[in-house]
Each structure stands twice: as C-alpha cells, then as structure tokens.
Amino acid sequence: MNTETGVLAVSFGTTVDEARHSCVEPVEGALARRCAPLPFFRAYTSGVVRRRLGERGIVIPSPEEALEEMARRGVTRAAVQPTHLLAGFEYDKLAAVVDRARPRFRELRLGRPLLWDTQGVEALAQVLSARFPREEGGCVALMGHGTRHPANLVYPALQGVLSRMGRHDLLVGTVEGSPELTQLLPMLEGLGARRVTLAPLLLVAGEHACEDMAGPSPESWRGQLEARGLEVRCLLEGLGALEAVQELYCRRLEELLW
Ligand code: CO
C-alpha cells in the first residue's frame, strides 16, 4: 500500500507579529527542515488568534482543518508535533482533536510537549542555565504561563532542577498558576540581589510577556519589583527564539517519526 507521511506542527499562536516571526516560525522552520522532504503543515489552536490574524489576511488553519487538508492531499501517516511547553488543557484539547481525526488516517501520532518528562525539564534547565550566565548582584525571574491543570507541576520541578544545578539565582514563577511572583519574593530577598532580569518562560514573548511581565502597570512583575526598590531589566525573548529550544522540539519530532 502506498504510504505518504506528513508532519503537522501545532502551536497556540500569537497575534503579535514580531513574536510570531521570532518565536513561532523559527520552531516551525526547524521542524520542517528536520523532517524534510516530508510534506510539512502548520496549525494554530487558538480560535481568537486565528480570527484576529484572519482579519488581517493571515490565514492559518486550526488543527482540525490542517488534518483534513493533509488527508485530502494523500497523507496516510500523520505525525502531529505540538510546540506547547507542557501537557496542560491546550494539549488535552489537541489530543481530543487528534483522536477524532484518527479514522481519516492509517496512522496518526501525537508528539510530546517539551516539558513532558523529567528529561525534558532537565534539558530545558540546561538551556536556561547557558542562556543566563551568573551575574554578580543579579538574578533572573522567569515568567511561565502557569495553569490550574495538574501539569503545572513542571514549574516547581524546573525550579528544583535549577537549584540542584546550583542556579539558585534563576527563579521560576507563573502568571496564572503556581508559584506566583509573591511566592518568589522571599527567595529574591534571600539572594540579596539588587538587579532582576525578567524573562518569559514562554515559547512566545507575546501579550503575557509585554503586559503581565514588562508592562507599565504597577501590577506587572516589573511594577511590583520596582516598587520594592529593585532594578529591573526586561528581556522580551520567547523560548522559541533560542536555537537550543528549537533543537529540543526537533528531538521530540524525531521520537515521533517512523
Ligand atoms: Co494566558
């Protein structure tokens, strides 16, 4: 039987053009190169993002639509690689979409997010440690998304691995999960740091990074830390911009392919 393998990269998506170009597309590009010459497709899960981009003439399919298109183009064996960081609600939803599309294919596989297992957490900890060299009198607070999903445990897990590596100066917090910034403050004080670098622990430096982390509001991480007299520097660089992170996604794809 004639078998055609195809790869679909699925991201949440972002309406921030600069972030899409610097953080999402490089990951998609790395995955496309890794699986070449297999046909490569991409999709965004966020309906809001796709609708807002669509209004500007940028049409990106949903995972359902992309899978349908793949089947129509003769793909019989499909590999779906998410660019999600963890297996939270978005990943569960994608898994359900993949299950519904299963009858359309001979084989359909769903890949793992970056922080799926301990190995993934350790690999990202290495990347972060290399990206943020130790600085005298300084520390780094990383802002993750956070979730009420049990998968939120990757954040304390990452903190644990970083601490074990001796990187007590790299703090892991979240906007919508645990730990919150307030829970990091005692650690910050314990470090005695005068300067804090804020950086997104997010694939994309999109709205959360620009507003909740670096925004001008007194509620933002920047605002809260400046109010405590700390010197704050904001780095608006999503993880997807890092080649080492793109490589971690490529390894996830390699685990997935036949
Ligand atoms: Co959010």
Side-chain angles (χ1 to χ4, degrees):
M1 190 191 285
N2 187 18
T3 299
E4 168 104 56
T5 305
V7 172
L8 170 62
V10 176
S11 306
F12 182 78
T14 175
T15 53
V16 182
D17 288 335
E18 159 55 22
R20 207 172 52 255
H21 298 323
S22 63
C23 306
V24 183
E25 287 165 3
V27 175
E28 292 168 342
L31 292 170
R33 284 192 299 280
R34 189 59 58 99
C35 69
L38 296 177
F40 180 84
F41 301 79
R42 68 166 170 171
Y44 285 178
T45 56
S46 170
V48 176
V49 169
R50 277 184 294 107
R51 184 165 42 74
R52 287 210 253 151
L53 289 176
E55 286 162 5
R56 285 158 39 198
I58 303 165
V59 179
I60 295 173
S62 67
E64 289 92 336
E65 291 164 349
L67 285 164
E68 186 52 42
E69 172 69 10
M70 289 168 84
R72 221 172 21 238
R73 294 230 218 136
V75 171
T76 56
R77 217 164 60 160
V80 179
Q81 179 57 53
T83 68
H84 299 65
L85 282 185
L86 53 87
F89 293 116
E90 285 294 321
Y91 184 80
D92 288 350
K93 272 192 267 171
L94 177 60
V97 168
V98 165
D99 275 338
R100 282 195 297 276
R102 224 169 268 294
R104 301 285 281 126
F105 298 91
R106 274 213 307 143
E107 270 190 275
L108 178 53
R109 289 184 182 172
L110 175 61
R112 267 69 203 265
L114 213 58
L115 302 176
W116 171 261
D117 50 12
T118 307
Q119 209 186 358
V121 173
E122 287 172 345
L124 185 63
Q126 292 290 349
V127 170
L128 293 169
S129 180
R131 174 66 188 86
F132 299 104
R134 239 178 271 273
E135 248 185 80
E136 187 59 37
C139 69
V140 180
L142 298 158
M143 177 194 258
H145 193 279
T147 171
R148 279 173 303 155
H149 191 283
N152 186 82
L153 57 78
V154 300
Y155 298 104
L158 179 61
Q159 184 73 75
V161 173
L162 288 167
S163 301
R164 200 178 72 207
M165 290 165 65
R167 296 305 308 270
H168 303 281
D169 57 321
L170 301 184
L171 307 178
V172 180
T174 68
V175 212
E176 293 180 17
S178 172
E180 298 172 2
L181 178 63
T182 48
Q183 295 173 282
L184 300 185
L185 294 176
M187 291 168 73
L188 260 170
E189 272 166 35
L191 288 167
R194 302 176 306 278
R195 288 189 316 279
V196 185
T197 300
L198 298 180
L201 185 64
L202 301 157
L203 185 78
V204 174
E207 286 182 46
H208 280 306
C210 298
E211 297 303 323
D212 302 302
M213 189 187 88
S217 148
E219 303 298 309
S220 72
W221 281 27
R222 177 215 285 272
Q224 293 187 57
L225 293 174
E226 281 178 348
R228 283 176 169 74
L230 288 154
E231 188 187 315
V232 179
R233 190 171 68 109
C234 294
L235 187 66
L236 288 173
E237 172 191 78
L239 295 176
L242 301 176
E243 267 175 43
V245 168
Q246 295 158 20
E247 176 58 31
L248 294 179
Y249 279 110
C250 286
R251 277 195 240 156
R252 286 293 187 217
L253 177 61
E254 281 167 358
E255 290 165 15
L256 183 64
L257 288 175
W258 289 267

